[in-house]
Amino acid sequence: MKVKLLTAVLASALLATTPSELMAQARPAASAAQPSAAARTVLDSSTRILTTLESRRAEFRANPAALRGFIDSELSRGFDRNYAARLVLGVHGRGAADADVQLFADAMADNLMARYGSTLLDIQGKPRFRYKSESALPGNRGVKVSTELVRAGSEPTPVEYLMRNIDGQWKIFDVMIEGISYVQTFKNQFDTPLRQKSIKQVAADLRSGNLQPAAGPVPDGK
């Protein structure tokens, strides 16, 4: 069964093992270092989400709206969707009102979750993540937390989180899988529509389903 990995990563911020398991499985070079506050944010979210998906799987299958509500609450908690949306909008977002950016951010998230959210319930084999390292982003923009997705029968997949600190809370604003950036993928896809229409109109097209962005070129796993 194939899983659209990028969407699952963004929706859940991630499906992984518990922090104690991750440290036990980490590479020797990384095992001596304790995860930072930014890394712990990813790990704690992963544990909470994995536990909830396992315990409420039947409910979520029967009630997709409940699943989307759960995902949305997690995105609001751990994903800086408005900042990510401004990065996706690029030059088209210069001078744009915060309300318009939020409309675009919410419409993009809702569109993706409506189409791909159910893939979270199809993940088999309990994939786990290994913490690798953390490094500062240029320009004091935040940090990059590097991990690996480990699945039985597959080579480890590099997954990196770009995060920034907002009032003492670390939030994800981009995810890179095998070097493929969520922000850059959607920035490329939305460039043409945004040249032709306003941010509000593009957001409306996303909501109605008239515009269907792809999750991007991502690795699939069984």
Side-chain angles (χ1 to χ4, degrees):
M1 182 185 306
K2 293 188 176 181
V3 176
K4 292 179 176 61
L5 183 58
L6 176 58
T7 308
V9 167
L10 293 172
S12 65
L14 264 189
L15 296 173
T17 53
T18 64
S20 60
E21 290 172 325
L22 181 142
M23 290 307 298
Q25 296 159 354
R27 290 182 172 184
S31 61
Q34 293 295 320
S36 67
R40 286 197 304 271
T41 296
V42 173
L43 303 180
D44 291 347
S45 175
S46 303
T47 303
R48 180 179 63 252
I49 291 163
L50 180 59
T51 301
T52 301
L53 289 171
E54 287 291 333
S55 64
R56 300 176 64 184
R57 189 182 300 272
E59 174 194 350
F60 287 155
R61 285 195 185 280
N63 187 354
L67 173 62
R68 287 196 295 272
F70 168 67
I71 293 172
D72 187 70
S73 69
E74 291 297 331
L75 283 172
S76 297
R77 184 187 306 202
F79 186 64
D80 192 352
R81 68 169 71 182
N82 282 21
Y83 181 65
R86 282 202 176 272
L87 295 178
V88 171
L89 289 168
V91 296
H92 306 293
R94 291 177 184 172
D98 290 343
D100 289 348
V101 174
Q102 184 169 346
L103 276 176
F104 177 78
D106 292 345
M108 185 167 62
D110 289 348
N111 179 281
L112 288 170
M113 291 311 100
R115 291 188 291 138
Y116 299 129
S118 62
T119 62
L120 291 169
L121 302 178
D122 295 329
I123 295 177
Q124 303 295 324
K126 294 187 177 180
R128 66 185 188 277
F129 281 80
R130 292 192 297 217
Y131 172 72
K132 293 178 59 182
S133 64
E134 181 178 318
S135 58
L137 295 174
N140 197 31
R141 293 192 302 128
V143 299
K144 177 173 68 176
V145 176
S146 300
T147 70
E148 286 181 330
L149 171 64
V150 181
R151 294 165 291 169
S154 299
E155 291 293 319
T157 302
V159 181
E160 298 172 320
Y161 303 88
L162 275 58
M163 308 180 71
R164 67 178 192 149
N165 192 303
I166 305 173
D167 298 326
Q169 182 180 3
W170 286 99
K171 287 198 171 187
I172 299 165
F173 65 86
D174 196 5
V175 177
M176 300 178 68
I177 300 176
E178 292 190 329
I180 299 170
S181 162
Y182 154 80
V183 165
Q184 191 59 51
T185 294
F186 288 106
K187 185 176 182 178
N188 293 341
Q189 292 189 38
F190 284 112
D191 181 62
T192 296
L194 287 166
R195 289 180 184 277
Q196 300 168 343
K197 298 181 179 181
S198 69
I199 294 174
K200 283 185 178 181
Q201 289 172 321
V202 172
D205 285 346
L206 280 168
R207 290 246 181 233
S208 66
N210 290 332
L211 180 59
Q212 294 286 3
V218 298
D220 286 339
K222 293 183 177 181

